[in-house]
Amino acid sequence: MIEKRPFGKTGHMSTVTLFGAAALGNVTQAEADATLDVLLEYGVNHIDTAASYGDAEFALARGWPSIARTSS
């Protein structure tokens, strides 16, 4: 697992390695889901995204139900 540190004063323990979701802007949903699976496997919980990253936010949103089920 990847080391975690406090994220400011939020109380959230964030992984020191984050994933830049711009990489998901132009991939299929299956590829995005596979990427999210790898992130979960390694414990990455800090994902950077923005509206300028193409469809990355949509790919993450569609993959979120599976994340919620595996991280509870």
Side-chain angles (χ1 to χ4, degrees):
M1 293 302 260
I2 297 173
E3 178 186 353
K4 294 179 182 174
R5 294 184 187 154
F7 187 69
K9 296 179 181 179
T10 65
H12 174 70
M13 293 298 289
S14 177
T15 52
V16 297
T17 300
L18 64 97
F19 176 74
L24 301 179
N26 294 310
V27 300
T28 67
Q29 188 62 48
E31 291 168 320
D33 291 345
T35 301
L36 292 172
D37 288 343
V38 171
L39 295 174
L40 288 173
E41 178 182 342
Y42 286 94
V44 174
N45 69 359
H46 192 142
I47 300 173
D48 172 60
T49 190
S52 63
Y53 292 175
D55 288 337
E57 290 179 319
F58 297 110
L60 287 169
R62 287 188 292 266
W64 227 249
S66 65
I67 291 172
R69 283 192 298 274
T70 59
S71 62
S72 54

